[in-house]
Amino acid sequence: MLGALYTIKEVSELTGLSTQLIRKWEQRYAAVNPLRMPNGYRGYTAQDIETIRWLKRRVDEGKPIGMAAMELKSLLYSNIQPPLADSVDGEGERQGPIGMLLHYLEQADLCGAEKVYQQLRALRSMELLLAEVIKPALLELGERFERGELNESQKNAGSQFIRDRWMASRI
């Protein structure tokens, strides 16, 4: 479930890391960027948990966390999906950045879509973001609409979100 959010305590239980260590990895290495819930608590996605598990595996293998975080950013920048742990929600299908972005847009979850967009923006130059995410996402939205997988409202809202980010990048 990409839409589900987990508390830091749940993430700690699922990863075996202390809440303090998870916070330090966020602050020092930008390992993940959880959403903030209205009450101020951190909200982690299944993808965030998989990322933390991947980093933990690298650290357990002897790699310093700073180097593991740089390796992760390098992989994501190169549009290579790191080999992540099994999905938190048990779904076998892993979605790349476009799939994740489209999932949130289809659900009209603009906060989730914005979070994915900001994570992608932090890891890619605007040129790469446009070529590897924005343009393909717009094309995929149109194709899903033509196949009847999206209604007009979903297509329009998703397209508007993506176009707004694209136009903002040109300013």
Side-chain angles (χ1 to χ4, degrees), residues 67-140:
M67 291 179 71
M70 286 177 29
E71 180 182 351
L72 177 66
K73 288 180 182 179
S74 176
L75 287 170
L76 294 173
Y77 182 78
S78 301
N79 206 25
I80 298 171
Q81 185 68 23
L84 299 174
D86 293 334
S87 297
V88 171
D89 56 16
E91 292 178 8
E93 181 180 340
R94 288 196 179 86
Q95 296 186 347
I98 296 168
M100 289 177 61
L101 181 62
L102 291 175
H103 170 80
Y104 285 114
L105 292 174
E106 288 171 3
Q107 303 302 314
D109 181 353
L110 297 182
C111 290
E114 183 65 27
K115 180 182 175 201
V116 170
Y117 176 82
Q118 290 302 325
Q119 288 175 340
L120 293 170
R121 180 67 188 106
L123 298 172
R124 289 173 168 76
S125 68
M126 186 48 69
E127 186 176 283
L128 281 175
L129 187 67
L130 288 169
E132 296 175 355
V133 178
I134 292 176
K135 183 178 177 183
L138 278 171
L139 292 171
E140 181 64 22

Side-chain angles (χ1 to χ4, degrees), residues 28 63 79 97 112 117 138 141 160 168:
R28 291 183 184 166
K63 184 158 297 244
N79 206 25
Y117 176 82
L138 278 171
L141 274 173
Q160 188 63 47

Side-chain angles (χ1 to χ4, degrees), residues 6-70:
Y6 300 83
T7 66
I8 194 165
K9 183 178 178 185
E10 291 170 319
V11 174
S12 175
E13 292 168 0
L14 290 166
T15 63
L17 297 173
S18 70
T19 58
Q20 294 86 357
L21 186 58
I22 294 168
R23 284 187 198 102
K24 284 186 182 185
W25 284 11
E26 288 172 25
Q27 294 166 353
R28 291 183 184 166
Y29 309 107
V32 291
N33 184 20
L35 290 170
R36 288 294 182 157
M37 295 185 232
N39 60 5
Y41 291 162
R42 290 167 167 84
Y44 298 84
T45 64
Q47 183 70 32
D48 292 333
I49 295 170
E50 289 184 9
T51 298
I52 292 169
R53 284 178 172 164
W54 184 87
L55 288 167
K56 181 181 184 297
R57 277 200 324 270
R58 299 298 288 146
V59 169
D60 289 346
E61 294 167 358
K63 184 158 297 244
I65 182 59
M67 291 179 71
M70 286 177 29

